[in-house]
Amino acid sequence: MKTHTATAIAHPNIAFIKYWGNRNTALRLPHTNSISANLRDLHTCTKVTFRDDLTADTLHINDQPAEDGALKRVSLFLDLVRTLAGINSNAEVISSNNFPMGAGIASSAAAFSALALAGSAATGLSLDEKALSRLARRGSGSASRSIPAGYVEWQAGSDDADSYAVSIADENHWALADCVAIINASHKIIGSSLGHTIADTSPFQEVRLQTAPQRLDECRQAILQKDFERLATVTELDSTMMHSVMMTSNPALFYWEPASISVMKEIPLLRAKGLAVCYTLDAGANVHVFCEASSKQKVHKLLAEFPGVQSVIDSEVGGPARLV
Amino acid sequence: MKTHTATAIAHPNIAFIKYWGNRNTALRLPHTNSISANLRDLHTCTKVTFRDDLTADTLHINDQPAEDGALKRVSLFLDLVRTLAGINSNAEVISSNNFPMGAGIASSAAAFSALALAGSAATGLSLDEKALSRLARRGSGSASRSIPAGYVEWQAGSDDADSYAVSIADENHWALADCVAIINASHKIIGSSLGHTIADTSPFQEVRLQTAPQRLDECRQAILQKDFERLATVTELDSTMMHSVMMTSNPALFYWEPASISVMKEIPLLRAKGLAVCYTLDAGANVHVFCEASSKQKVHKLLAEFPGVQSVIDSEVGGPARLV
């Protein structure tokens, strides 16, 4: 019996300039570039073992057998890896997160970037960063951004071959922290994979896409120049633009909860008083509050006191997906 | 001493298809048409007396001398009336509302439509509905819509002469009610007169204006055909589109409060369960919930139970501004 195994760690990421809506759903080719930062203190660790004696892929997450839906998505992704490597073996996948599941921290980016790296390495493939980012993208669009280090831009590209992420600056470039205000969602809402497919039903999606290049330039420059005020303005605008698209799509998607609004309204007031903070929200109710790493504890404490904020999870900016 | 006096009553109105942003600020010429309903159970009653012995205009609201800002705005408006009538006398204006001030019920529409009618009548002018609507518009854009009866459309027009409101259907056409969930705003926010001037800074304003004709057609048809589901869909979309413009303008205007979001998220769920309800929000935190008049008490009770809802004010659809 041949056994091929590899283990990888990858971080989730949070976007300053968002990804919402695909040009090609099957290939997860986005309409526009997006820019994010990896979250150092959160990670997924995934071990993949291809074994000839397995009759099917298996998946455990945090020591529990995964649900059928998750297993199927992973199995379809492993088919891409098997095709690349020219093998037929089934795989045992064992994954764990150091952050709470179901708290609304997007776990799919970390999951599929770790799986892309561990899965390809287990077959003996040695993919470069670009190829890994392209592969991870097929599992979850934003997973492409968890492959490179630090501050990352996913280049939309024109097809599968040139749609991948690159590092704008590594994790040591600018000491920022993300304090995530965890907010309970009172209603179940549509998942982001399905959400992407209805983005085009919003009357605002087209202009959001048309004006994205300006915001991407602004954000990239703000990061390179470490200009917090500039980063804050464009990040909050881009977040609200994405949520405006969501809330005006058909059906309307309201990810914001009452406590999300409380935090969102307070952050610009704190900034006006001199504290370097800005917010952004993914497809969920949690509010990601960026600040300088030196004020992480202060911001954590401020957020923890908000009514409706259940807990606060902090992270500084992290490195690339890597084998362990 | 000559004395000329008149008293008028007018209702506030709430828009299904919103007015946000002016083509001409001084003349309050809007970019697009808007559609609203008058609120029967709320009114402003205003008595205007032109007296040769007054050295300046005076204004009392709810038995209190008005603030300088309010007096100045009324005085400038009375200048328009004096010019139309060819008189120079100052006026005593006594106004009262039967709804709470400062609760976020837009009072300027009722105030300036009542003032336009009472003020012009007091000078001896007998303006027709069109001329009254044009005049009221100069005091507050949405006041143009409180002149005609029932369900009203303000035709944007191309200049001062053709920018006025007309009735689509009178107040007896369709027995709807507006249950207004009064929600306290935690922060003072920019007033709507100033808000209109920054609407064009949002990347979404242009497409909101470009697509308004479709929503206006949809809303007009829904009213004429008494099709609640159709009215609900377009009304909620148009409200969220206006707030998206506000939240992405520079500076960003967030009128929504936590409790606004709670109510907004619940209403479509109630509708999905068969209750004919839909929401809309003006430039404020209060949520206006439209329903069939027959279910007014039920909706009132539901809204009153929401955390963060201070009180609920109900109104059915009302008639035109009128002399008393």
Side-chain angles (χ1 to χ4, degrees):
Chain A
M1 186 185 81
K2 290 188 292 179
T3 299
H4 300 288
T5 191
T7 302
I9 274 187
H11 305 293
N13 66 72
I14 174 75
F16 300 106
I17 305 295
K18 305 295 189 185
Y19 155 52
W20 192 248
N22 285 315
R23 194 154 40 87
N24 180 319
T25 300
L27 292 173
R28 297 186 195 270
L29 297 177
H31 281 294
T32 64
N33 290 19
S34 52
I35 294 178
S36 61
N38 290 335
L39 300 179
R40 182 192 72 182
D41 303 292
L42 312 180
H43 68 253
T44 295
C45 181
T46 299
K47 181 181 182 184
V48 178
T49 307
F50 285 98
R51 288 170 36 178
D52 288 343
D53 63 331
L54 287 175
T55 56
D57 295 322
T58 65
L59 171 64
H60 282 71
I61 300 175
N62 294 340
D63 297 326
Q64 300 291 322
E67 289 173 13
D68 285 353
L71 173 60
K72 188 173 177 189
R73 189 167 167 188
V74 161
S75 207
L76 284 169
F77 182 80
L78 288 171
D79 288 344
L80 299 173
V81 176
R82 282 184 277 257
T83 301
L84 275 174
I87 64 167
N88 288 308
S89 312
N90 289 305
E92 176 188 79
V93 179
I94 299 172
S95 190
S96 61
N97 304 303
N98 76 338
F99 54 94
M101 297 274 288
I105 303 274
S107 50
S108 64
F112 282 98
S113 52
L115 186 63
L117 179 51
S120 60
T123 67
L125 287 171
S126 180
L127 301 180
D128 63 11
E129 183 179 284
K130 169 179 156 182
L132 277 171
S133 178
R134 287 175 51 210
L135 177 60
R137 190 198 78 229
R138 301 289 296 275
S140 171
S142 58
S144 66
R145 296 191 308 241
S146 283
I147 296 291
Y151 299 87
V152 172
E153 181 161 0
W154 174 13
Q155 300 172 337
S158 58
D159 58 25
D160 175 60
D162 61 356
S163 184
Y164 56 88
V166 298
S167 184
I168 296 173
D170 74 20
E171 63 274 26
N172 302 311
H173 166 70
W174 192 10
L176 294 185
D178 179 11
C179 297
V180 192
I182 305 293
I183 291 164
N184 191 34
S186 60
H187 298 296
K188 296 276 179 191
I189 195 164
I190 198 166
S192 56
S193 284
L194 192 50
H196 283 290
T197 67
I198 64 165
D200 290 345
T201 65
S202 164
F204 291 146
Q205 172 73 340
E206 189 177 332
V207 69
R208 191 184 78 87
L209 300 175
Q210 282 169 349
T211 55
Q214 300 147 238
R215 292 189 302 282
L216 288 158
D217 285 347
E218 187 70 10
C219 181
R220 203 183 303 110
Q221 290 304 314
I223 290 169
L224 290 172
Q225 296 168 14
K226 306 179 197 176
D227 183 336
F228 195 93
E229 184 63 32
R230 207 169 160 188
L231 180 69
T233 304
V234 75
T235 296
E236 292 180 356
L237 175 62
D238 196 80
S239 173
T240 304
M241 287 181 75
M242 179 179 75
H243 284 271
S244 295
V245 165
M246 292 163 162
M247 295 185 291
T248 57
S249 66
N250 183 11
L253 301 178
F254 277 75
Y255 288 97
W256 294 348
E257 291 287 330
S260 315
I261 283 277
S262 299
V263 177
M264 289 167 69
K265 292 179 82 142
E266 189 63 23
I267 296 298
L269 301 177
L270 290 169
R271 191 161 72 249
K273 288 179 193 161
L275 184 64
V277 280
C278 72
Y279 67 79
T280 186
L281 290 90
D282 271 354
N286 296 337
V287 186
H288 292 255
V289 178
F290 271 92
C291 62
E292 290 164 340
S294 57
S295 55
K296 186 171 67 170
Q297 286 180 311
K298 180 178 183 177
V299 173
H300 180 115
K301 191 162 173 290
L302 281 167
L303 292 175
E305 286 166 1
F306 268 85
V309 172
Q310 296 189 310
S311 60
V312 181
I313 296 176
D314 303 335
S315 178
E316 298 194 22
V317 177
R322 56 201 178 277
L323 291 168
V324 289
Chain B
M1 185 185 79
K2 290 187 295 178
T3 298
H4 300 287
T5 192
T7 301
I9 274 188
H11 305 293
N13 65 72
I14 174 74
F16 300 106
I17 305 295
K18 304 295 189 185
Y19 155 53
W20 192 248
N22 284 316
R23 196 155 37 89
N24 180 319
T25 301
L27 292 174
R28 298 186 195 268
L29 298 176
H31 282 293
T32 63
N33 291 18
S34 52
I35 294 178
S36 61
N38 290 335
L39 300 179
R40 181 192 75 184
D41 303 290
L42 312 180
H43 67 253
T44 295
C45 181
T46 298
K47 181 181 183 185
V48 178
T49 308
F50 285 98
R51 288 169 36 177
D52 288 344
D53 63 333
L54 287 175
T55 57
D57 295 322
T58 64
L59 172 64
H60 283 71
I61 301 176
N62 293 341
D63 296 326
Q64 300 291 320
E67 289 173 13
D68 285 354
L71 174 59
K72 189 173 176 189
R73 189 167 167 187
V74 161
S75 208
L76 284 169
F77 182 81
L78 289 171
D79 288 345
L80 298 173
V81 176
R82 282 184 278 258
T83 301
L84 275 175
I87 65 167
N88 288 308
S89 312
N90 289 306
E92 175 188 78
V93 179
I94 299 172
S95 191
S96 61
N97 304 304
N98 75 338
F99 53 95
M101 297 275 287
I105 302 273
S107 50
S108 64
F112 283 98
S113 52
L115 186 63
L117 179 51
S120 60
T123 68
L125 286 171
S126 179
L127 302 180
D128 63 13
E129 183 179 282
K130 168 179 156 180
L132 278 172
S133 177
R134 287 176 52 211
L135 177 61
R137 189 198 78 230
R138 301 289 296 275
S140 172
S142 58
S144 65
R145 295 190 308 239
S146 284
I147 296 291
Y151 298 87
V152 172
E153 181 161 1
W154 175 12
Q155 300 173 335
S158 57
D159 59 23
D160 175 60
D162 61 356
S163 184
Y164 56 87
V166 297
S167 185
I168 296 173
D170 74 20
E171 63 274 25
N172 301 312
H173 165 70
W174 191 11
L176 294 185
D178 179 10
C179 297
V180 192
I182 304 294
I183 290 163
N184 191 34
S186 60
H187 298 295
K188 296 275 180 192
I189 196 162
I190 198 167
S192 56
S193 283
L194 193 50
H196 283 290
T197 67
I198 64 164
D200 291 344
T201 65
S202 164
F204 290 145
Q205 173 72 342
E206 190 177 331
V207 69
R208 191 184 77 87
L209 301 176
Q210 282 169 350
T211 55
Q214 299 148 241
R215 292 189 301 283
L216 288 157
D217 285 347
E218 187 70 11
C219 182
R220 203 183 303 110
Q221 289 306 314
I223 290 170
L224 290 172
Q225 296 167 15
K226 306 181 198 175
D227 183 337
F228 195 92
E229 184 63 33
R230 207 170 161 187
L231 180 70
T233 304
V234 75
T235 296
E236 292 180 357
L237 175 63
D238 196 80
S239 173
T240 304
M241 287 182 75
M242 179 179 75
H243 283 270
S244 295
V245 165
M246 293 163 161
M247 294 186 290
T248 57
S249 66
N250 185 8
L253 301 178
F254 278 75
Y255 289 98
W256 293 349
E257 291 289 328
S260 316
I261 283 277
S262 300
V263 177
M264 289 166 69
K265 292 179 82 143
E266 189 64 23
I267 296 299
L269 301 179
L270 290 169
R271 190 162 71 250
K273 288 179 194 162
L275 184 64
V277 280
C278 71
Y279 67 79
T280 186
L281 289 90
D282 270 354
N286 296 336
V287 186
H288 293 254
V289 178
F290 270 93
C291 62
E292 290 165 339
S294 56
S295 56
K296 185 170 68 171
Q297 285 179 312
K298 179 178 183 176
V299 172
H300 180 114
K301 192 163 173 290
L302 280 168
L303 292 175
E305 285 166 2
F306 268 85
V309 171
Q310 297 187 312
S311 59
V312 180
I313 295 176
D314 304 334
S315 178
E316 299 195 22
V317 177
R322 57 203 177 273
L323 291 168
V324 288

